[in-house]
C-alpha cells in the first residue's frame, strides 16, 4: 500500500512522501532547519545552548518532571547536532572497562519516562563515573517517548564517550506509525511535527547497531542468526536501512509488486482445488500478522517454536515459514505450488511477491533485521521468527558458534518483556534485559538494568515505578500480565467471529452449539493462525458444558461493539474491527486534517478487496456521526470500532497479598 499510494488530491507529495520516502529534505541538513523558528517570550520551558552543558541537561530533567514540553526549535537543533555526532560513529561501538569502574546496560524503555528517571535516581546520571549503554526501543507505546529520547540524545551530546545508544526495532519510522511515536510527535508539535519526524527518521538510521565491551560482551537489541557476520555488519552503510520493515527500495521497484499481485490473483482464480476458499476472509493473498497485546510477540502464551532449520530473516506471515532465498517456501493451499514467494509486510498485512536475488543492499538489510528482531529459543538451530514476522529464533548452538567465531563470552540483548526484568538462557551465554516496568499492566513486571565491571560478571538491579505494585507477589504479577494478554486475545477472537462460527459449525453437524475441546482448539488455531496452548486457555475463553464439551457461542459473550452499526455489506463491521489499527495508520498518513473519510475508506477497502458502494460508505458514516454535525471526526470513527469487554475489571486496582 505504501509503495503504490498515489496522492489523492493530485497535488504532489504529502505526508506519506514526507514520512516514507528515503530522501530527506536537504533543508533538514542545514542549520536553517531550526534557525528560522521563533521562540516566543511567553515560552517558559528550557532554552538550550549548544554545545550542551550540565545545566542544560539538568534543565531538561526538571522541565520534563514538571510536564513541560521542549520548544520545537530546540528539538530540531538537538536532533541536528545528534545526527552530526552519530554520522561519525562506527556501526559497532567498542568499549573498555579499563577506563571506568562499571558500565550500566539498560533495555527497552518504550516511552516510560518514570522508569528512566528512576534508573538515573538509583544508579546516577550519565557521567565519566557512570557510563551507560541503552539497548534500543526508546520510543513507542509509552506516552513520554519524545521526552525519553530527547534526554538520551542530550546526554549523548554532553558525554559522547560515556553515553552509548544502540538501535532497536522501534527506532523505525514505520513502526512509529503503528505504535504511537508518530502520533505523539504530531500531537505535541503540530506546527513542526513533520520536520521533526523526518529528522528523527534520519537520526534513527544513524544509530549504531551493536556495542562490544572488552572484546568479550556483545550487546544487540534483538539477537543473532546463523547468518550473522559481525565483520560484515561493521562495514555496511547502516544509514541506508531507514526501516527494517521494508525491503530496500530498489529491490521493490525491480520486483514490480503490482504486476506480481495480478499474476498471483489470476493463478489463484483458476485454482479449482480450493474447496475451502469461501470460508476465507478475502481472495487476496494477505494475512494478518500475529501481533497481540502490547508487545511485538505473544511469546508468554505461545508454545515452543518450530523445528530448527537454517534461516536468517523472515517477514510478516505466521504460517508457513518464509524464505529469503531463491528456494521455494513450503506449499500452502493458498498459493500455487510452483512459484517461489516472499511475504513483504505493509502495515499489518503481507503482500506475496517472487523473491529477488540477494544484492548487496538486501544482504545488509537482512543482517540488520536479524540483529534488531531475533529472539533466542531453547531448541538447537535457527528458524524463521514467524511469530514476530521478522528476524529468527536462534538456538544455543547458534549462540555458541558466534561466540567462538568472534572470541566472545556473552550476548546481552533486550526486545522481550521479562517478569523479573531480566532472564538468562543458553547456559547463561544470553541475557535478556528489559527496563520498562509495568509494561503490560500496572504491576505486571519489574524493570531491571545490568552493571558490568572489569571481571565481566553481570550484576542485576531490579525496580518498579509504582509503589502500590512494588510488593506484589510473582503470582500476582503474572496474573496482571496474563489478564492483559487474554483481553488482547479475546479481541482477536471477536474480530474473527464469522470464520470461527463457520469452523465450529462444520464440527457441530447436529447443531447442538457444542464441540469437543479438541475440535474447539483445532478451529481456534487454524482460523487465528496462533500457535498457543488452546486447551489450557479454553476455560478462560469459553464455557464448558457438563459433558465436557465447549459451548462455542460463549467465546463471544463478554465482548461487543461500542455501538450497533448497520450491516451495509456482509461482515463489514467485523472486518473493520479486525483492521481498526490499520485504518488509523492509513488515515494518519494520508489525511493531516482528518477530512478525507471517503478517500481513506477507498484506499483501505481496495487493499482488503472489499466491494462497497459510495452509498454504503455514506450509510456507515451517518451511523457513527455521533454529534450529528454532518462530518466525521476520526476519533468518533475509531470509537465506533472499539471492542468493549463487558466483564472487564481492568480499571479496578490490583490488590496486594495483604489486602
Amino acid at each position: 500500500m505504501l509503495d503504490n499510494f498515489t496522492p489523492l488530491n493530485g497535488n504532489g507529495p504529502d505526508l506519506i512522501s514526507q514520512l516514507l520516502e528515503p530522501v530527506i529534505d536537504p533543508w533538514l541538513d542545514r542549520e536553517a532547519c531550526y534557525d528560522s523558528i521563533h521562540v516566543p517570550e511567553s515560552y517558559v520551558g528550557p532554552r538550550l545552548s549548544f554545545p550542551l552543558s550540565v545545566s542544560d541537561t539538568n534543565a531538561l530533567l526538571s522541565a520534563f518532571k514538571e510536564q513541560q514540553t521542549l520548544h520545537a526549535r530546540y528539538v530540531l537543533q538537538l536532533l541536528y547536532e545528534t545526527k552530526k555526532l552519530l554520522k561519525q560513529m562506527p556501526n559497532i561501538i567498542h568499549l573498555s572497562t579499563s577506563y571506568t569502574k562499571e558500565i550500566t546496560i539498560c533495555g527497552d524503555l518504550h516511552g516510560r519516562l518514570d522508569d528512566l528517571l528512576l534508573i538515573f535516581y538509583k544508579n546516577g546520571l550519565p557521567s565519566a563515573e557512570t557510563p551507560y549503554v541503552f539497548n534500543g526501543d526508546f520510543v513507542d507505546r509509552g506516552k513520554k517517548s519524545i521526552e525519553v529520547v530527547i534526554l538520551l540524545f542530550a546526554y549523548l551530546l554532553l558525554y559522547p564517550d560515556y553515553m552509548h545508544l544502540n538501535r532497536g526495532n522501534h527506532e523505525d519510522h514505520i513502526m512509529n506509525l503503528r505504535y504511537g511515536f508518530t502520533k505523539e510527535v504530531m500531537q505535541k508539535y503540530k506546527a513542526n511535527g513533520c520536520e521533526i519526524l523526518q529528522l528523527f527518521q534520519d537520526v534513527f538510521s544513524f544509530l549504531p547497531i551493536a556495542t562490544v565491551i572488552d572484546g568479550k560482551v556483545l550487546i544487540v537489541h534483538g539477537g543473532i542468526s546463523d547468518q550473522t557476520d559481525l565483520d560484515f555488519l561493521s562495514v555496511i552503510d547502516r544509514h541506508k536501512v531507514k526501516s527494517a520493515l521494508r525491503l530496500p527500495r530498489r529491490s521493490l521497484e525491480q520486483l514490480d509488486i503490482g504486476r506480481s499481485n495480478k499474476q498471483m490473483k489470476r493463478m489463484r482464480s483458476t485454482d479449482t482445488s480450493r474447496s475451502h476458499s469461501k470460508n476465507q476472509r478475502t481472495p487476496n493473498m494477505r494475512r494478518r500478522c500475529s501481533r497481540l497485546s502490547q508487545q511485538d510477540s505473544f511469546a508468554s502464551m505461545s508454545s515452543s517454536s518450530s523445528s530448527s532449520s537454517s534461516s536468517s530473516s523472515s517477514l510478516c506471515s505466521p504460517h508457513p515459514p518464509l524464505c529469503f532465498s531463491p528456494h521455494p517456501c513450503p506449499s500452502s493451499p493458498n498459493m500455487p505450488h510452483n512459484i517461489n514467494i516472499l511475504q513483504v509486510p505493509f502495515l499489518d498485512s503481507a503482500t506475496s511477491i517472487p523473491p529477488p536475488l540477494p544484492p548487496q543492499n538486501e544482504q545488509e538489510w537482512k543482517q540488520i533485521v536479524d540483529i534488531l528482531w531475533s529472539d533466542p529459543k531453547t531448541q538447537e538451530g535457527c528458524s524463521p521468527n514467524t511469530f514476530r514476522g521478522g528476524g529468527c529464533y536462534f538456538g544455543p548452538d547458534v549462540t555458541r558458534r558466534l561466540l567462538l567465531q568472534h572470541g566472545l563470552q556473552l550476548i546481552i540483548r533486550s526486545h522481550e518483556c521479562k517478569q523479573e526484568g531480566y532472564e538468562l538462557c543458553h547456559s547463561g551465554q544470553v541475557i535478556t534485559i528489559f527496563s520498562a516496568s509495568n509494561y503490560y499492566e500496572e504491576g505486571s513486571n519489574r524493570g531491571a538494568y545490568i552493571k558490568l565491571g572489569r571481571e565481566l560478571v553481570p550484576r542485576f538491579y531490579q525496580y518498579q515505578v509504582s509503589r502500590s505494585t512494588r510488593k506484589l507477589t510473582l503470582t500476582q504479577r503474572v496474573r496482571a500480565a496474563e489478564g492483559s494478554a487474554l483481553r488482547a486475545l479475546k479481541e482477536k477472537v471477536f474480530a474473527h467471529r464469522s470464520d470461527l462460527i463457520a469452523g465450529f459449525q462444520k464440527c457441530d453437524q447436529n447443531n447442538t452449539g457444542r464441540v469437543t475441546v479438541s475440535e474447539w482448539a483445532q478451529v481456534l488455531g487454524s482460523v487465528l493462525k496462533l500457535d498457543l496452548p488452546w486447551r489450557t486457555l479454553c476455560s478462560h475463553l469459553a464455557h464448558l458444558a457438563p459433558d465436557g464439551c465447549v459451548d462455542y457461542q460463549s467465546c463471544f459473550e463478554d465482548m461487543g461493539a461500542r455501538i450497533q452499526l448497520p450491516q451495509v455489506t456482509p461482515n463489514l463491521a467485523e472486518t473493520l474491527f479486525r483492521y481498526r489499527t490499520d485504518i488509523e495508520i492509513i488515515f494518519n498518513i494520508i489525511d493531516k486534517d482528518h477530512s478525507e473519510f471517503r478517500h481513506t475508506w477507498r484506499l483501505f477497502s481496495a487493499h482488503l478487496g472489499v466491494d462497497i458502494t459510495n452509498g454504503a460508505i455514506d450509510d456507515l458514516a451517518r451511523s457513527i456521526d455521533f454529534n450529528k454535525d454532518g462530518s466525521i471526526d476520526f476519533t468518533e470513527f475509531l470509537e465506533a470500532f472499539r471492542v468493549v469487554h463487558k466483564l472487564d475489571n481492568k480499571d479496578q486496582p490490583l490488590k496486594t497479598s495483604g489486602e
Side-chain angles (χ1 to χ4, degrees):
M1 290 179 63
L2 302 180
D3 280 311
N4 290 289
F5 173 78
T6 301
L8 294 168
N9 57 16
N11 293 328
D14 54 9
L15 184 59
I16 191 169
S17 299
Q18 296 172 34
L19 292 182
L20 301 176
E21 287 300 318
V23 179
I24 301 297
D25 191 337
W27 178 76
L28 294 172
D29 272 330
R30 300 192 297 268
E31 296 181 10
C33 73
Y34 56 83
D35 271 342
S36 59
I37 300 175
H38 174 66
V39 181
E41 293 293 331
S42 59
Y43 171 68
V44 296
R47 294 175 180 265
L48 305 182
S49 58
F50 293 82
L52 292 179
S53 64
V54 173
S55 62
D56 290 310
T57 53
N58 287 342
L60 285 172
L61 285 169
S62 299
F64 293 158
K65 288 178 183 178
E66 298 298 322
Q67 313 298 319
Q68 294 179 347
T69 300
L70 183 65
H71 194 275
R73 190 238 193 251
Y74 300 117
V75 174
L76 285 168
Q77 187 171 5
L78 184 140
L79 292 175
Y80 174 80
E81 296 295 337
T82 302
K83 178 180 173 180
K84 283 202 305 183
L85 175 63
L86 290 175
K87 288 173 76 172
Q88 303 171 28
M89 292 185 176
N91 296 341
I92 300 176
I93 302 294
H94 289 267
L95 306 179
S96 173
T97 57
S98 62
Y99 302 106
T100 183
K101 185 179 179 183
E102 289 179 310
I103 298 175
T104 302
I105 301 128
C106 301
D108 300 33
L109 286 169
H110 280 301
R112 267 71 168 185
L113 178 62
D114 288 343
D115 284 295
L116 178 60
L117 296 179
L118 185 58
I119 292 170
F120 287 164
Y121 174 78
K122 290 170 65 73
N123 192 61
L125 294 172
S127 66
E129 294 73 32
T130 314
Y132 280 91
V133 176
F134 283 87
N135 197 25
D137 279 13
F138 320 127
V139 301
D140 281 336
R141 306 189 191 282
K143 296 180 180 180
K144 299 285 186 178
S145 291
I146 189 79
E147 288 82 0
V148 167
V149 76
I150 284 174
L151 280 173
L152 295 179
F153 287 169
Y155 279 109
L156 176 66
L157 291 173
L158 182 62
Y159 298 117
D161 294 327
Y162 308 111
M163 184 69 163
H164 309 282
L165 307 177
N166 281 350
R167 185 177 183 178
N169 66 304
H170 278 264
E171 278 66 63
D172 183 306
H173 60 281
I174 296 183
M175 289 292 285
N176 300 155
L177 279 168
R178 167 172 278 285
Y179 292 105
F181 184 57
T182 298
K183 184 176 181 179
E184 179 185 337
V185 171
M186 294 302 289
Q187 286 178 341
K188 292 180 178 178
Y189 297 98
K190 293 180 174 62
N192 302 100
C194 288
E195 292 83 2
I196 290 173
L197 285 170
Q198 279 188 280
L199 205 42
F200 263 120
Q201 174 182 337
D202 222 22
V203 171
F204 285 164
S205 69
F206 277 112
L207 285 167
I209 53 181
T211 300
V212 176
I213 298 177
D214 289 348
K216 295 295 182 182
V217 179
L218 172 66
I219 306 172
V220 293
H221 177 73
I224 59 173
S225 76
D226 55 359
Q227 303 296 313
T228 297
D229 183 340
L230 297 184
D231 296 326
F232 181 73
L233 280 167
S234 66
V235 298
I236 67 174
D237 185 358
R238 67 184 186 272
H239 175 56
K240 289 194 295 188
V241 183
K242 297 289 188 182
S243 173
L245 290 181
R246 304 179 79 195
L247 284 164
R249 189 165 188 83
R250 189 164 43 183
S251 296
L252 288 172
E253 291 169 352
Q254 291 168 351
L255 289 169
D256 192 352
I257 292 176
R259 185 174 61 203
S260 300
N261 279 342
K262 292 176 184 176
Q263 291 173 350
M264 297 293 277
K265 288 178 183 177
R266 283 199 299 269
M267 296 188 71
R268 292 191 68 247
S269 66
T270 59
D271 183 359
T272 58
S273 66
R274 298 178 301 105
S275 61
H276 64 288
S277 62
K278 64 180 69 178
N279 295 320
Q280 293 186 345
R281 172 180 60 80
T282 166
N284 293 330
M285 299 179 60
R286 296 168 176 114
R287 297 178 181 174
R288 288 281 289 170
C289 298
S290 302
R291 291 176 184 166
L292 293 174
S293 190
Q294 289 185 322
Q295 195 179 10
D296 301 326
S297 75
F298 207 14
S300 62
M301 296 180 65
S302 66
S303 61
S304 60
S305 60
S306 57
S307 59
S308 62
S309 63
S310 178
S311 174
S312 58
S313 305
S314 68
L315 284 176
C316 284
S317 182
H319 301 286
L322 306 174
C323 303
F324 266 157
S325 67
H327 304 294
C329 285
S331 61
S332 162
N334 297 330
M335 300 174 187
H337 298 293
N338 61 342
I339 289 186
N340 299 329
I341 62 98
L342 178 67
Q343 300 288 327
V344 180
F346 294 96
L347 300 179
D348 203 30
S349 306
T351 292
S352 300
I353 58 178
L357 295 174
Q360 177 76 10
N361 60 341
E362 188 176 322
Q363 294 177 33
E364 297 174 355
W365 170 77
K366 286 161 61 176
Q367 289 273 329
I368 291 180
V369 169
D370 288 339
I371 287 289
L372 300 183
W373 280 88
S374 296
D375 295 303
K377 65 172 183 176
T378 56
Q379 298 92 339
E380 300 282 301
C382 190
S383 56
N385 195 331
T386 53
F387 204 86
R388 285 192 189 273
C392 73
Y393 293 115
F394 62 98
D397 58 324
V398 179
T399 297
R400 289 192 299 269
R401 192 181 312 129
L402 182 122
L403 295 181
L404 182 63
Q405 178 183 354
H406 295 281
L408 301 165
Q409 65 185 45
L410 177 66
I411 295 174
I412 297 177
R413 43 91 62 177
S414 302
H415 198 41
E416 290 182 284
C417 177
K418 298 300 179 182
Q419 208 75 51
E420 296 300 320
Y422 70 93
E423 184 179 88
L424 281 70
C425 64
H426 294 183
S427 302
Q429 291 183 317
V430 173
I431 296 174
T432 298
I433 189 72
F434 195 83
S435 299
S437 64
N438 308 307
Y439 182 64
Y440 292 110
E441 292 283 324
E442 189 78 3
S444 63
N445 67 284
R446 290 174 176 157
Y449 56 86
I450 297 173
K451 292 179 78 73
L452 273 182
R454 294 176 184 176
E455 70 285 358
L456 298 182
V457 176
R459 291 188 291 132
F460 302 92
Y461 295 81
Q462 298 169 295
Y463 54 87
Q464 199 153 24
V465 166
S466 174
R467 292 183 179 181
S468 62
T469 60
R470 205 171 292 159
K471 295 182 180 180
L472 290 181
T473 65
L474 174 61
T475 301
Q476 289 170 322
R477 291 201 306 277
V478 170
R479 285 175 181 169
E482 286 180 344
S484 176
L486 279 171
R487 276 191 294 277
L489 184 57
K490 287 179 179 180
E491 290 180 13
K492 194 170 184 70
V493 168
F494 180 81
H496 290 77
R497 178 173 180 170
S498 297
D499 291 341
L500 289 170
I501 291 292
F504 293 141
Q505 289 176 343
K506 280 186 178 181
C507 301
D508 181 21
Q509 298 291 334
N510 298 322
N511 295 323
T512 64
R514 298 195 300 272
V515 294
T516 66
V517 174
S518 177
E519 290 169 335
W520 180 87
Q522 184 177 4
V523 171
L524 265 292
S526 62
V527 171
L528 300 185
K529 301 293 190 295
L530 294 176
D531 186 16
L532 300 178
W534 292 112
R535 291 173 178 268
T536 304
L537 293 168
C538 184
S539 61
H540 298 281
L541 299 173
H543 300 315
L544 292 176
D547 61 358
C549 290
V550 181
D551 175 6
Y552 53 81
Q553 291 286 355
S554 65
C555 295
F556 317 104
E557 282 183 356
D558 65 341
M559 288 173 293
R562 182 180 182 274
I563 63 170
Q564 293 300 316
L565 297 169
Q567 191 73 343
V568 296
T569 192
N571 300 327
L572 173 62
E574 185 177 304
T575 301
L576 293 176
F577 278 118
R578 193 180 305 177
Y579 295 98
R580 179 180 176 275
T581 306
D582 282 347
I583 299 172
E584 180 178 12
I585 295 170
I586 296 167
F587 201 96
N588 286 331
I589 289 174
I590 69 174
D591 187 24
K592 285 179 284 188
D593 59 3
H594 287 183
S595 63
E596 300 287 352
F597 174 76
R598 182 175 288 178
H599 285 158
T600 300
W601 172 246
R602 282 190 175 284
L603 179 60
F604 182 70
S605 59
H607 178 58
L608 286 182
V610 177
D611 188 18
I612 183 171
T613 64
N614 285 338
I617 296 175
D618 292 338
D619 289 341
L620 178 66
R622 280 190 290 271
S623 69
I624 59 179
D625 182 15
F626 299 143
N627 58 12
K628 304 303 178 185
D629 62 354
S631 64
I632 300 173
D633 180 84
F634 198 58
T635 303
E636 291 178 313
F637 180 79
L638 292 179
E639 283 299 316
F641 294 100
R642 191 184 303 281
V643 177
V644 177
H645 296 260
K646 299 174 183 177
L647 305 178
D648 196 355
N649 296 317
K650 69 178 180 180
D651 293 331
Q652 297 180 3
L654 291 167
K655 294 182 179 180
T656 62
S657 57
E659 291 182 315

